[in-house]
Amino acid sequence: MKNISAIVLAAGKGTRMNSDKPKVLHEIRGKPMIEYTLDTLNKLNLAEIILVVGYSADEVKACTGPKCLFAIQKNPQGGTGDAVKAGLTKVSPESEIILAIYGDDSAFYKLETLKDFLASHTSSGNVVSVITSDQPQIERVGRIIRDEDDKFKLTMEVWEYEKSGLYSGEVNCCVYLFDKKWLLGHINKIKNDNDKGEYRITDVLNIAHSEDTKVGLFKLEDPNEWVGINTREDLERANKLMGEVNG
């Protein structure tokens, strides 16, 4: 694992939480959600963990312990692509693979799941890989579209998907593995020509596919490992689920 660097996106305020607290510091069962993610990543013995911070950066830094490096996302409206780009500035030259993970939807991942994801990526010779999940009951999230050979074809934001006339119950869980050199050469190809003017890391998957670059799909066996937390209702659901997980 010493050739792998993790970039954890933790810069957001979380406007829909109706709170001034940084989003990743909201607690699940009395513990800031970001701590669950970092605890799991630390067990992977990666080369480094880089936390991308922005809103109330000092508060987030104080919660994370001594093992993290930090990158600042200067533009809070820059989007996930801009956040990953900020994280890349802190990655060591020796690193060969980038694990990009969101700090607000990754508290429930099991260590073995992430190990299996890494093994699948490297053994398959993928340049880009993404975790997905079958969750057709979830409405307002982006989707993965597969081709006739059951391979990656397209990832779509929710508003694109709803207008497309396509059907997919496969959700993009937004945990990625990238060949570092490839990502450095493609991160600036992301455009912000969307309704929010954001640079979105999801676009990198479509760029890869357009260039016939191998994109791997790793589907969760347990859909409950991906729990997005954007609202107070989501946080309540996460608290309940964590109670069930921990007995």
Side-chain angles (χ1 to χ4, degrees), residues 20-31:
D20 291 331
K21 183 185 290 187
K23 189 177 184 183
V24 296
L25 297 190
H26 284 273
E27 295 182 349
I28 303 173
R29 307 291 286 190
K31 180 176 175 178

Side-chain angles (χ1 to χ4, degrees), residues 98-230:
I98 302 298
L99 168 64
I101 189 168
Y102 294 9
D104 60 1
D105 66 4
S106 52
F108 289 82
Y109 283 114
K110 299 169 187 172
L111 178 61
E112 289 306 314
T113 296
L114 295 183
K115 285 182 176 179
D116 289 346
F117 179 44
L118 289 163
S120 173
H121 175 80
T122 54
S123 65
S124 300
N126 295 328
V127 175
V128 182
S129 294
V130 59
I131 293 180
T132 72
S133 176
D134 278 335
Q135 295 189 339
Q137 74 278 14
I138 293 182
E139 297 297 330
R140 302 289 299 174
V141 292
R143 304 299 170 101
I144 294 288
I145 308 297
R146 295 185 182 237
D147 63 18
E148 59 274 9
D149 296 319
D150 205 36
K151 295 180 180 178
F152 176 83
K153 181 178 181 180
L154 183 65
T155 184
M156 307 178 79
E157 300 291 346
V158 61
W159 56 89
E160 298 170 323
Y161 171 72
E162 290 173 343
K163 295 177 182 178
S164 70
L166 299 172
Y167 174 77
S168 171
E170 190 170 6
V171 171
N172 180 350
C173 296
C174 298
V175 182
Y176 304 100
L177 286 167
F178 301 102
D179 176 88
K180 187 185 78 171
K181 288 183 180 179
W182 184 90
L183 183 60
L184 286 169
H186 287 78
I187 193 79
N188 287 326
K189 293 186 178 183
I190 301 174
K191 297 180 180 180
N192 66 338
D193 52 352
N194 52 69
D195 61 329
K196 294 184 178 180
E198 294 179 341
Y199 296 92
R200 294 176 174 138
I201 196 63
T202 51
D203 288 349
V204 175
L205 301 183
N206 296 332
I207 292 169
H209 180 71
S210 71
E211 297 180 354
D212 292 325
T213 297
K214 192 172 182 181
V215 179
L217 300 175
F218 181 88
K219 189 180 290 186
L220 293 176
E221 293 183 7
D222 178 5
N224 285 327
E225 287 190 64
W226 180 72
V227 180
I229 302 174
N230 295 299

Side-chain angles (χ1 to χ4, degrees), residues 50-98:
I50 299 158
L51 209 66
V52 181
V53 295
Y55 175 74
S56 293
D58 289 341
E59 279 188 69
V60 179
K61 288 180 180 181
C63 179
T64 57
K67 293 185 179 180
C68 287
L69 302 173
F70 298 99
I72 301 292
Q73 185 178 14
K74 296 179 180 179
N75 178 7
Q77 281 78 47
T80 53
D82 180 66
V84 171
K85 187 176 179 180
L88 283 169
T89 65
K90 300 294 183 177
V91 172
S92 64
E94 295 78 17
S95 190
E96 298 175 353
I97 297 173
I98 302 298

